[in-house]
């Protein structure tokens, strides 16, 4: 029995010895105390001396970050080296370094220090390096541009259920827009509608800030919320009304009540074209009345991508119904009703979703 125990004990020790590695004893770059401004889309390359495996096999590396006073037992952030951990370097994006800065308590438009080190292993028996270097990280005013943005919270249409968050429309890199209603409660902006995404709120100065929530203390109203992650600015305007403007009469025929889901709809609206000497005129577009944060109102017009149009039919492509900002010109960029709508009632619906700004006319 003693011989058997000794045999298996030796075999186990031999197996574990193959996982031993030496520690990383030298960090090559970036230099200690190096300054990094995290604006734009750059990268920082981290490099270090090779560690040795007892079996002369491959070594895996991981770069860790911590506060200057930390000991890396609970690092702020970590990433495997390039090549799935096999290389002796790591090309780290400014976006990931911004996450490190944020975890270290460095807010936008400010600077602070973090330190980094490299651990080596063969998957187990991690060898912690005794050396580390500091980095001075300076954050710009804005945030790394997310791929998407969502609105969630008790003040929103989807409530506090993240999976039901309202999706913003991406206008350009880092810039998002959402038409929605808000009521008494709070809301926050997230990068995803699942998991534990980064979140943002709007402070009393109208600036986008990390974490927190924004309070709504008014009755339910419809808003257009614009968020620019590039410079941390926001714009919240009330959508007072959305009206169908009939070009032949040069006036608003009717307003479309806001429903939900970034949509306005009027049901059973009477549609009667105007008789002209040359035929019946059916041109229309939409007028939005917008009230800014200071309480001033203005008009915004949405119409067709084309200066002139033919009457749509059942085979007309979906793009015909898309709505884009246009001038208040009486005739140009107007839509035309289908001939089937004349002297009928119809449901008219405007939808400004995350995928398209469009509308529909359904004959009753």
């Amino acid at each position: 029995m003693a011989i058997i125990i000794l045999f298996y004990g030796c075999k186990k020790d031999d197996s574990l010895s193959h996982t031993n590695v030496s520690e990383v004893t030298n960090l090559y770059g970036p230099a200690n105390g190096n300054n990094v401004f995290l604006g734009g889309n750059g990268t920082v390359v981290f490099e270090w001396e090779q560690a040795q495996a007892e079996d002369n096999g491959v070594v895996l590396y991981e770069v860790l970050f911590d506060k200057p006073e930390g000991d890396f037992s609970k690092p702020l952030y970590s990433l495997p080296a390039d090549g799935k951990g096999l290389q002796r370097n790591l090309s780290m994006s400014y976006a990931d370094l911004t996450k490190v800065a944020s975890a270290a308590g460095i807010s936008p438009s400010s600077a602070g220090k973090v330190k980094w080190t490299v651990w080596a292993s063969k998957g187990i028996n991690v060898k912690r390096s005794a050396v580390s270097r500091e980095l001075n990280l300076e954050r710009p005013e804005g945030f790394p541009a997310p791929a998407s943005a969502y609105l969630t919270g008790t003040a929103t249409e989807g409530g506090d259920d993240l999976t039901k968050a309202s999706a913003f429309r991406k206008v350009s890199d880092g810039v998002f827009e959402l038409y929605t209603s808000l009521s008494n409660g709070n809301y926050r902006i997230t990068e995803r509608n699942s998991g534990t995404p980064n979140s943002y709120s709007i402070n009393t100065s109208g600036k986008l800030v990390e974490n927190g929530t924004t309070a709504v203390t008014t009755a339910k109203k419809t808003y257009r919320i614009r968020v620019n992650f590039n410079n941390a600015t926001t714009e919240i305007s009330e959508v007072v009304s959305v009206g169908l403007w009939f070009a032949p009469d040069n006036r608003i025929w009717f307003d479309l009540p806001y429903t939900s889901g970034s949509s306005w709809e009027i049901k059973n609206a009477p549609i009667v074209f105007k008789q002209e000497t040359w035929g019946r005129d059916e041109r229309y577009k939409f007028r939005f009345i917008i009230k800014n944060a200071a309480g001033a109102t203005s008009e915004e017009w949405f119409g067709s991508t084309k200066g002139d149009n033919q009457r749509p039919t059942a085979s007309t492509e979906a793009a015909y119904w898309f709505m884009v900002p246009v001038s208040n010109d009486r005739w140009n960029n107007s839509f035309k009703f289908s001939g089937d709508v004349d002297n009928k009632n119809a449901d008219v619906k405007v939808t400004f979703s995350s995928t398209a700004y469009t509308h529909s006319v359904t004959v009753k």
Side-chain angles (χ1 to χ4, degrees):
M1 180 63 71
I3 293 172
I4 292 173
I5 292 173
L6 179 63
F7 173 78
Y8 280 104
C10 291
K11 186 175 181 180
K12 181 178 180 182
D13 288 341
D14 288 343
S15 175
L16 289 176
S17 70
H18 290 282
T19 67
N20 292 331
V21 297
S22 65
E23 70 177 75
V24 173
T25 58
N26 195 6
L27 305 176
Y28 295 143
N32 190 48
N34 195 54
N35 297 308
V36 183
F37 177 69
L38 299 175
N41 297 309
T43 59
V44 173
V45 179
F46 297 84
E47 297 179 289
W48 51 88
E49 187 178 48
Q50 181 177 358
Q52 299 296 323
E54 190 171 314
D55 64 355
N56 294 317
V58 298
V59 176
L60 298 174
Y61 301 98
E62 185 177 12
V63 179
L64 297 93
F65 295 87
D66 208 342
K67 292 183 178 181
E69 66 275 13
D71 61 1
F72 297 103
S73 59
K74 295 181 179 180
L76 299 173
Y77 199 81
S78 65
L79 277 177
D82 290 345
K84 297 183 178 179
L86 294 173
Q87 298 183 27
R88 290 184 295 109
N89 54 69
L90 169 64
S91 296
M92 193 168 179
S93 69
Y94 283 0
D96 280 335
L97 279 170
T98 298
K99 295 176 183 178
V100 174
S102 177
I106 305 170
S107 45
S109 300
S110 62
K113 293 182 179 181
V114 298
K115 66 179 181 180
W116 65 279
T117 191
V118 179
W119 289 356
S121 74
K122 292 182 67 63
I124 57 176
N125 290 345
V126 175
K127 199 70 174 182
R128 303 183 178 190
S129 177
V131 296
S132 64
R133 285 187 175 178
E134 288 191 347
L135 273 182
N136 297 319
L137 301 180
E138 182 181 356
R139 295 183 62 181
E141 188 173 25
F143 302 92
S148 57
Y150 294 85
L151 192 74
T152 187
T154 58
T156 69
E157 294 179 7
D160 223 7
D161 185 345
L162 184 59
T163 64
K164 296 179 180 178
S166 301
F168 282 79
R169 185 183 189 188
K170 186 175 181 179
V171 178
S172 60
D173 260 357
V175 182
F176 297 84
E177 181 177 81
L178 172 65
Y179 289 80
T180 189
S181 65
L182 294 173
S183 54
N184 188 56
N186 61 72
Y187 65 86
R188 60 192 175 102
I189 298 160
T190 63
E191 294 181 330
R192 300 188 310 277
N193 62 345
S194 62
T196 309
N198 291 331
S199 67
Y200 307 85
S201 58
I202 301 171
N203 67 16
T204 54
S205 299
K207 300 293 289 185
L208 191 68
V209 296
E210 290 177 308
N211 303 317
T213 59
T214 303
V216 178
T217 57
T218 60
K220 185 175 181 180
K221 294 181 180 179
T222 307
Y223 295 92
R224 179 186 63 202
I225 303 173
R226 288 175 173 166
V227 178
N228 188 331
F229 284 87
N230 304 315
N231 57 18
T233 59
T234 66
E235 178 189 314
I236 303 178
S237 302
E238 181 185 350
V239 183
V240 178
S241 66
V242 175
L244 187 142
W245 184 83
F246 191 58
D249 287 346
N250 195 24
R251 66 179 178 88
I252 295 294
W253 257 5
F254 45 74
D255 286 330
L256 284 71
Y258 182 79
T259 54
S260 63
S262 305
S263 295
W264 298 258
E265 184 176 17
I266 187 169
K267 292 182 176 293
N268 290 308
I271 309 295
V272 181
F273 300 170
K274 185 175 182 180
Q275 183 64 50
E276 304 284 4
T277 56
W278 46 264
R280 295 181 69 74
D281 200 340
E282 70 289 69
R283 285 171 285 186
Y284 67 96
K285 59 176 70 169
F286 295 90
R287 185 194 70 185
F288 284 55
I289 300 296
I290 303 295
K291 182 189 294 185
N292 65 20
T297 60
S298 61
E299 295 180 354
E300 294 184 6
W301 295 80
F302 284 85
S304 172
T305 57
K306 296 180 180 180
D308 193 18
N309 285 290
Q310 299 297 318
R311 288 182 178 178
T313 65
S315 60
T316 297
E317 59 184 11
Y320 171 85
W321 305 96
F322 289 174
M323 296 170 58
V324 296
V326 297
S327 73
N328 62 353
D329 182 274
R330 182 174 178 181
W331 307 107
N332 289 332
N333 300 100
S334 288
F335 297 103
K336 290 185 176 180
F337 286 111
S338 164
D340 297 336
V341 184
D342 195 12
N343 289 304
K344 302 284 181 57
N345 283 11
D347 295 344
V348 181
K349 184 176 184 179
V350 170
T351 300
F352 277 14
S353 71
S354 61
T355 55
Y357 289 179
T358 187
H359 76 290
S360 62
V361 178
T362 306
V363 181
K364 305 303 289 184

